[in-house]
Structures are given as C-alpha cells and as structure tokens.
Amino acid sequence: MLRASLLLATLALTMADIAAADDKQPAAPGPLEGAWKLTSVQLNAQALPMEKLQDARLVVRGTKYSLKLADTRLEMTHELLNDQRPRAMDLMVVEGPDKGKTYHAIIKLADDTLTVCRSIQPDKERPTEFASKPDSGVLLVVWTRQKVQ
C-alpha cells in the first residue's frame, strides 16, 4: 500500500512538472498568425477599387488583429469559433469609437488565402454565406499571407 501511494505521489509530481514546463513554452502560432496583404474587397456586391487600398495590411499576433490603411488603424482582438460551419470568428474592437463592440464574421482559410465576410457595422448578425449582396451592408474581403523574407 505504501509503495502504491509513493508511486501515485511521484506520478502526480511528475505530471505537475510537465504541466509547469508546458506553461513556460510559447504558445503555438494560430492559423491566422502573420502579416496579410489585401487582395480584393466587395461591399454591397460592388468591388472596391484596389488602387486606393493596395497599402492595406492586416497583422495577426496571438489574439491581436490589427488593420492598417494609410493613417487609419483598427485594433481588435479575435476569437475563432471552430465549432461553427462555416467557420466563424468574432472581432472585438479594443480602441476608438466602437470600442467594446463586436464584428461577427465567417472566415475561410485555404493555404495562404484568408476570406473574411462580415457586416460593415459591429454587433450585426453573422453572415451565413461568403457573399456581398446589393444593399446588404456585408463586406467580403480576401487577404493573401505575406511571406517572411
């Protein structure tokens, strides 16, 4: 009996050491991690001219989701909702006039292409399909992952 108790105590201490070591390891990068360049944008079924948007960048680090276009910046955090189909993501605004509001999006990630579909207004219903229809207020954005050089 004493031998079994010692074995259980040793096993518990070993598992605690492994868990503590795992806590010190940096988290594995998420599937959206990195820098993204804007490829295309549709709003209300109309393609927006890319000449004015070619400098748009998205950077995802951990749960941070930062959009930048010229002098405009939008800082958010994101949460992937992998149990939903299509795959869903919530984008919570952390700065500016919409601070505390959430954009409910659906996403598609294929290789180095990220498609995000959401309303242009926060706190609206999540789209159910990857489409931007006339007068829908839905934004369909395609990003391409930037390679590290």
Side-chain angles (χ1 to χ4, degrees), residues 41 47-54:
V41 180
L48 299 183
M50 289 305 297
E51 302 84 51
K52 296 179 181 180
L53 302 171
Q54 65 187 2

Side-chain angles (χ1 to χ4, degrees), residues 51-147:
E51 302 84 51
K52 296 179 181 180
L53 302 171
Q54 65 187 2
D55 293 331
R57 295 289 181 267
L58 166 65
V59 176
V60 180
R61 297 277 181 254
T63 61
K64 291 184 178 182
Y65 190 98
S66 303
L67 291 166
K68 184 174 184 200
L69 175 61
D71 294 334
T72 304
R73 225 179 71 231
L74 182 57
E75 295 294 329
M76 298 182 277
T77 59
H78 77 282
E79 178 183 2
L80 295 175
L81 308 171
N82 295 320
D83 59 338
Q84 296 187 25
R85 295 293 175 255
R87 194 172 184 187
M89 175 173 62
D90 284 341
L91 297 160
M92 291 72 68
V93 181
V94 296
E95 287 182 9
D98 288 332
K99 182 177 180 176
K101 295 183 180 180
T102 301
Y103 290 96
H104 303 288
I106 56 173
I107 66 166
K108 184 173 16 178
L109 180 61
D111 297 321
D112 289 332
T113 301
L114 171 63
T115 304
V116 179
C117 188
R118 65 170 177 81
S119 172
I120 58 171
Q121 297 293 320
D123 297 328
K124 297 290 183 185
E125 278 191 38
R126 188 181 316 279
T128 58
E129 61 181 333
F130 291 95
S132 178
K133 297 177 181 174
D135 301 318
S136 64
V138 171
L139 190 65
L140 182 63
V141 183
V142 179
W143 299 92
T144 302
R145 189 185 307 268
Q146 299 298 281
K147 303 292 184 192

Side-chain angles (χ1 to χ4, degrees), residues 19-41:
D22 285 347
D23 287 345
K24 295 175 187 171
Q25 297 295 323
L32 305 183
E33 190 88 12
W36 299 84
K37 181 179 180 186
L38 189 60
T39 303
S40 68
V41 180

